[in-house]
């Protein structure tokens, strides 16, 4: 997991399981080709794992598209309870999650989406929570629990097919978490519980001013560097399938998970009437200066802000990018 201030080269937690035959040879091959490229002055593109349908590049990086079946391979790892590069406070309660390679993670655009993954022994639905920097196109790194649903963990690596899930059932309303270090001068919010990947997040002070567009960072927080004032806020959330909702009463409470009553789609969008009763996370210590972010907390916290919402029909429709080879 990163804090958005100094990305590191290897962001994975220990415990990854790999088939011995596939990992070491890739390392040796990469070293040999790189050396040859340095001597000959050639530009070499290294590729490992199953051959993708088309070459991964920044222009093609996109989450898996709903309705498109992808073929690839799966391994497994253990996040040790952390929420991964998507910055969720913890792994999902059912521990069915997946890390995607850089092309499908798409700088955080895949976070919060779901995949149905089919292997030799069945199908499992997993939540995208993490990035696997060394995974090639088509390579999924599942949680140990998810891998065990589709294959014998002793195999280490198996062939799979998978597809993105459109409008998966929601377990509850949206939640909002202000990043440690947030203040009236520096706004960063994590939105969760949205079902489909998100397209946009806009924010404004409750009942005042125009909407400010937040920019998604690759660690999945939505950022307005100049801040949006002290709050409370209205936050408008749009997903990749055109669903749009607006929640109000979201407070500047760094490190707390604020649970509203609005769902991204489906039933349950009535406004809450109960005032917030948050519990502060022990590690939530905002920067007094309010000018720099801190490392996200790995401890789940809770709170219930007053939230109002209405599902707004969107003319955007579904504009998911086409999958590589799709």
């Amino acid at each position: 997991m990163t804090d958005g201030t100094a990305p590191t080269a290897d962001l994975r937690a220990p415990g990854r399981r790999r088939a011995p035959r596939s990992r070491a040879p890739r390392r040796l091959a990469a070293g040999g080709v790189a050396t040859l490229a340095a001597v000959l002055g050639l530009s070499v593109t290294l590729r490992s794992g199953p051959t993708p349908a088309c070459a991964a590049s920044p222009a093609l990086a996109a989450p898996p598209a709903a309705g498109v079946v992808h073929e690839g391979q799966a391994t497994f790892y253990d996040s040790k309870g952390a929420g991964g590069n998507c910055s969720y406070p913890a792994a999902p309660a059912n521990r069915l999650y997946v890390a995607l390679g850089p092309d499908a993670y798409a700088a955080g655009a895949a976070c919060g989406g779901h995949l149905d993954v089919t292997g030799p022994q069945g199908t499992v639905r997993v939540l995208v929570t993490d990035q696997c920097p060394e995974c090639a196109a088509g390579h999924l790194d599942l949680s140990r629990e998810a891998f065990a649903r589709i294959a014998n963990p002793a195999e280490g690596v198996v062939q799979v097919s998978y597809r993105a899930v459109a409008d998966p059932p929601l377990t509850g309303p949206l939640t909002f978490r202000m990043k440690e270090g947030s203040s009236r001068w520096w706004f960063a919010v994590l939105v969760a519980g949205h079902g489909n990947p998100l397209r946009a997040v806009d924010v404004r002070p409750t009942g005042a001013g125009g909407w400010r567009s937040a920019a998604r960072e690759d660690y999945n927080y939505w950022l307005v560097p100049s801040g949006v004032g002290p709050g409370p806020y209205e936050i408008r959330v749009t997903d990749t399938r055109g669903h749009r909702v607006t929640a109000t009463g979201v407070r500047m409470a760094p490190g707390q998970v604020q649970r509203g009553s609005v769902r991204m789609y489906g039933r349950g969008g009535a406004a809450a009437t109960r005032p917030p009763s948050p519990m502060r996370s022990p590690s939530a210590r905002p920067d007094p200066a309010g000018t720099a972010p801190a490392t996200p907390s790995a401890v789940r916290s809770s709170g219930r802000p007053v939230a109002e919402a209405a599902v707004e029909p969107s003319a955007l429709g579904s504009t998911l990018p086409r999958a590589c080879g799709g």
Side-chain angles (χ1 to χ4, degrees):
M1 189 189 309
T2 66
D3 65 0
T5 58
T8 56
D10 186 0
L11 305 174
R12 314 290 296 126
R16 184 182 320 286
R17 178 69 176 270
R18 290 282 185 268
R21 63 181 179 277
S22 62
R23 191 166 190 174
R26 284 206 301 268
R27 189 183 304 116
L28 294 173
V33 174
T35 302
L36 179 61
V39 173
L40 299 180
L42 301 177
S43 175
V44 178
T45 300
L46 301 179
R47 187 181 295 174
S48 61
T51 302
C54 58
S57 68
L60 296 175
V68 178
V69 177
H70 304 260
E71 303 289 337
Q73 67 177 10
T75 49
F76 66 88
Y77 80 112
D78 187 351
S79 73
K80 305 298 184 185
N85 273 138
C86 292
S87 297
Y88 299 127
N94 63 10
R95 296 195 54 82
L96 301 179
Y97 54 86
V98 62
L100 304 180
D103 62 322
Y105 182 76
C111 288
H114 295 75
L115 302 181
D116 280 345
V117 184
T118 301
Q121 297 179 6
T123 299
V124 64
R125 179 163 295 180
V126 290
L127 175 69
V128 178
T129 64
D130 208 354
Q131 179 178 199
C132 173
E134 69 270 30
C135 289
H139 184 164
L140 306 181
D141 213 11
L142 300 169
S143 66
R144 177 183 288 271
E145 291 83 354
F147 190 96
R149 298 278 188 95
I150 64 167
N152 184 344
E155 295 186 51
V157 56
V158 295
Q159 296 302 118
V160 296
S161 63
Y162 60 96
R163 67 169 68 201
V165 182
D167 296 346
L170 300 175
T171 58
L174 291 174
T175 64
F176 303 90
R177 183 184 191 276
M178 297 295 170
K179 194 178 189 301
E180 291 86 349
S182 294
S183 70
R184 64 183 300 167
W185 313 112
W186 189 85
F187 180 95
V189 65
L190 173 72
V191 184
H194 39 82
N196 301 303
L198 294 184
R199 180 201 306 280
V201 170
D202 306 294
V203 61
R204 67 183 179 187
T206 297
W211 290 105
R212 301 282 303 278
S213 295
R216 176 170 40 211
E217 299 298 304
D218 60 6
Y219 53 97
N220 197 35
Y221 271 84
W222 293 82
L223 177 65
V224 181
S226 58
V228 195
Y233 310 100
E234 296 179 13
I235 298 182
R236 186 173 66 188
V237 181
T238 307
D239 71 14
T240 53
R241 295 187 60 79
H243 302 294
R244 174 178 288 175
V245 296
T246 300
T248 68
V250 181
R251 299 169 298 105
M252 176 52 69
Q256 298 178 19
V257 175
Q258 302 181 56
R259 181 182 174 90
S261 64
V262 53
R263 292 173 181 256
M264 197 67 213
Y265 47 82
R267 297 181 179 180
T273 57
R274 193 154 60 89
S277 55
M279 294 177 59
R280 179 171 298 278
S281 167
S283 60
R285 297 187 177 91
D287 180 0
T291 57
T295 302
S297 169
V299 180
R300 184 177 298 277
S301 56
S302 63
R304 291 182 180 271
V306 175
E308 297 179 34
V311 178
E312 303 173 2
S314 172
L316 294 176
S318 176
T319 55
L320 277 169
R322 288 178 61 85
C324 181

